[in-house]
Amino acid sequence: MPENMSKEEQRRAHRDERQRQNQKRMRVFYIVIIAIVLIIGFVLSFTVFFHVNKMEVRGYSIYTEEEVMGVSGVNDGDNLFLINRNKVKEHITQKLPYIGDVSVKISLPNKLIITVYETSVKCAVEVSDGYVLLNENAKVLGKAPSIDDIYANAILEGGKKIEVPAEEATEEAPPEPEKKEKSQTYVLKSKDFIILKGAKVKTAKVGKTVVLKTEKEVEVYTEIMNLFIENEITGITELNISDVYNIVMRYEDRIDVKVGSVTNLKDKMAFAAQVIKDQDAATPDQAGVIDLTIDKKAYFQPETTTLPTTTAPETTAEGETTTSPPEAEKTEPETNKSGKTIQHAVTTTKP
């Protein structure tokens, strides 16, 4: 302390120093108190408070609330903050295959809310003893002995009973398997689903991703199926991926769509959706082939030459439509020198 300070200044300096020391001690005191409170709260939250004694299941599925809670892996008394939500989702989606996704939320002080989202059969692949059923992400939803059995025991997403037109129903129902206590239920997006051709199933465990002959087949399948959803493509009845460089799909059992390789698959599916839409608008019952294998072009080759006087409109990738002038009506099909009928193709071109 400087010697030239007066006694009054010295007393003031001592007083200020004591105040600073007291403030430091109080800060340390408060920090210790807060830490103790937090530790006590932390211990109580894991020993006394925030334990599960209520569970609520939301959303729709074919499974009961009790079934969902029973396979969740969560028990009464479990601590809310120690629940592994990813494990809960995994347990439910694997043990209850027609649940495609799960959301798990905490509602303090003691409730767990589980929201389930339904999935459905998008594709069936034939195996030696029937069919393996898959959703769009190649998850195995179950197995069926026959297509007839699927339709006989199917419901639509949301719980509506599927209605198969009388002409599509089989004349005789397949015989019931012996000792069949309960019919299996199949959930469909619509009355139509895709038959997957050319895929060799190695392992099909319900609730898990199907294992095909190669991983590439699974990748191609999931990419195409999700592009169908993205582009709102419906009516595909068959998908052949026996050669991933020469993919073919069938639309409404009347039009084959040659996709070719997986190169630019996203663009090809968007273009295919527009071509199918335009072709249906022009000649809704026409059978034939749509060829997407030529870069930036799509050709429609009709199955016969019995065509309307107005050809199908040309379609660009942007959805713009132009119509070619109608040709003069033909009384007889054109033939070449060999006597074979000449086929006329409708061509659409992307810019």
Side-chain angles (χ1 to χ4, degrees), residues 25-281:
R25 284 193 290 270
M26 290 302 295
R27 280 198 294 269
V28 172
F29 174 76
Y30 287 132
I31 290 173
V32 171
I33 292 299
I34 291 172
I36 292 173
V37 170
L38 289 175
I39 292 171
I40 292 173
F42 183 79
V43 172
L44 288 176
S45 68
F46 286 96
T47 57
V48 179
F49 305 123
F50 309 124
H51 284 218
V52 177
N53 62 22
K54 292 181 182 178
M55 290 179 64
E56 179 181 337
V57 177
R58 298 177 179 177
Y60 179 83
S61 76
I62 62 173
Y63 308 105
T64 65
E65 185 175 8
E66 290 73 20
E67 286 177 304
V68 174
M69 292 188 295
V71 302
S72 67
V74 180
N75 301 306
D76 285 345
D78 287 352
N79 188 275
L80 284 170
F81 297 108
L82 292 180
I83 293 173
N84 187 325
R85 302 186 192 188
N86 288 331
K87 283 291 184 183
V88 173
K89 176 180 176 178
E90 183 179 323
H91 288 158
I92 295 174
T93 55
Q94 288 187 4
K95 295 179 180 179
L96 303 178
Y98 285 102
I99 293 178
D101 200 6
V102 175
S103 170
V104 182
K105 293 184 179 180
I106 293 172
S107 178
L108 296 177
N110 54 17
K111 182 190 283 188
L112 190 71
I113 300 174
I114 299 174
T115 304
V116 298
Y117 301 91
E118 194 172 37
T119 190
S120 58
V121 176
K122 304 298 191 305
C123 182
V125 54
E126 190 170 7
V127 291
S128 59
D129 58 347
Y131 291 85
V132 172
L133 310 178
L134 308 175
N135 74 351
E136 66 275 12
N137 295 316
K139 176 185 177 182
V140 179
L141 303 182
K143 295 181 180 180
S146 67
I147 299 298
D148 288 337
D149 189 73
I150 297 174
Y151 281 122
N153 299 288
I155 59 173
L156 297 177
E157 283 187 15
K160 185 178 179 181
K161 182 69 176 177
I162 188 169
E163 295 181 3
V164 181
E167 60 270 18
E168 295 185 16
T170 55
E171 295 181 359
E172 296 183 3
E176 291 286 325
E178 293 183 5
K179 298 181 181 179
K180 184 177 180 181
E181 297 179 359
K182 182 180 179 181
S183 297
Q184 182 175 351
T185 299
Y186 309 99
V187 180
L188 305 179
K189 179 71 174 178
S190 69
K191 71 178 183 65
D192 297 316
F193 54 91
I194 298 169
I195 302 298
L196 182 63
K197 299 283 188 177
K200 302 297 182 182
V201 177
K202 294 177 65 177
T203 306
K205 187 174 182 179
V206 176
K208 299 287 189 71
T209 300
V210 69
V211 179
L212 300 179
K213 185 177 181 180
T214 66
E215 291 184 7
K216 186 66 175 177
E217 289 177 330
V218 178
E219 293 174 6
V220 170
Y221 168 79
T222 55
E223 184 177 3
I224 291 175
M225 295 301 292
N226 281 280
L227 285 172
F228 285 164
I229 296 173
E230 180 181 327
N231 292 283
E232 299 181 348
I233 297 175
T234 60
I236 301 298
T237 53
E238 191 175 293
L239 174 64
N240 192 321
I241 60 171
S242 57
D243 181 357
V244 295
Y245 298 100
N246 187 28
I247 300 167
V248 179
M249 56 191 190
R250 189 162 179 79
Y251 174 70
E252 290 189 348
D253 287 325
R254 61 185 176 86
I255 296 178
D256 287 323
V257 183
K258 294 182 178 180
V259 180
S261 71
V262 294
T263 304
N264 298 324
L265 194 56
K266 185 179 179 68
D267 292 336
K268 287 179 179 178
M269 287 298 105
F271 197 35
Q274 188 62 51
V275 173
I276 289 172
K277 179 180 178 181
D278 291 342
Q279 183 58 44
D280 271 352

